[in-house]
Amino acid sequence: MKPKDSKTYPISITVNNVVYAIDVSANETLFEVLKDRLNFTSVKRGCDSGECGTCTVILERKAVYSCLLLAVEVDGKKILTLEGLSSNGELHLLQRAFLEHGAIQCGFCTPGMIMSAKAFLDENPNPTLDDIKDAMQGNLCRCTGYVKILEAVRSVAPRD
Ligand code: FES
Ligand code: FES
C-alpha cells in the first residue's frame, strides 16, 4: 500500500444516503475510503489499477472503478455500493437474479458485476444481449465464466 500524504483535506460524501464528513489525504482513493475507512466490505480490492472491476460502485448515476478515483475528486458526490441496494431486508432484483441463475461462485466479483449491471440497466431498461455484453466487459470473473452472469442480467431486462 502506498504511503499517505500527511496533509489532509476535508470532504463530504454521501454513501447509500448517509453523509460522511472525513479528512482524506491528497493521494487517498475512493476505494480506500469506502473499504478501509468506512468498512463497505462489498467493495473489493482486485487489481487496484482499473483492470478487473471488483471495486465498482455507482457515482451519481455512473458505474466507476473506485480504485481509479481520488477521494478529493468526489467531494460532495453521491455514491451507491452494493450495501445500499437492498431495502427493508429484501434483496434487489439483480441480487436475486444472480442467486437464481447460479451466477456466483466465490462471489468476489459479484458486487462489482451487480453495480455495473444496475447502472447500465437504469439507463438502458431494454437492452439487447450484445448491449449487456458490452456493458459488462469491464468486470472480470475468475470462476463462473460469463454465461450465467449474462443470463442473470438479461433476466432482469429480458428483451432480445
Ligand atoms: S480493483 Fe479497481 S478495477 Fe480492479
Ligand atoms: S464468482 Fe469468483 S470471481 Fe466471479
Side-chain angles (χ1 to χ4, degrees), residues 43-54:
V43 189
K44 305 293 187 204
R45 188 192 301 275
C47 64
D48 216 12
S49 60
E51 301 287 339
C52 72
T54 60

Side-chain angles (χ1 to χ4, degrees), residues 142-159:
R142 63 190 172 189
C143 301
T144 67
Y146 297 94
V147 173
K148 290 175 189 298
I149 290 169
L150 293 172
E151 282 173 2
V153 178
R154 192 183 190 194
S155 73
V156 177
R159 203 186 92 168

Side-chain angles (χ1 to χ4, degrees), residues 31 44-56 64-68 108 138:
F31 171 83
K44 305 293 187 204
R45 188 192 301 275
C47 64
D48 216 12
S49 60
E51 301 287 339
C52 72
T54 60
C55 66
T56 303
V64 295
Y65 293 154
S66 60
C67 70
L68 290 186
F108 193 78

Side-chain angles (χ1 to χ4, degrees), residues 116-131:
S116 285
K118 175 169 169 42
F120 170 68
L121 293 176
D122 284 350
E123 294 294 316
N124 305 275
N126 294 302
T128 65
L129 183 56
D130 282 344
D131 294 336

Side-chain angles (χ1 to χ4, degrees), residues 54 103-110 113 140-144 149:
T54 60
I104 303 170
Q105 278 189 26
C106 78
F108 193 78
C109 69
T110 310
M113 290 276 182
L140 305 182
C141 176
R142 63 190 172 189
C143 301
T144 67
I149 290 169

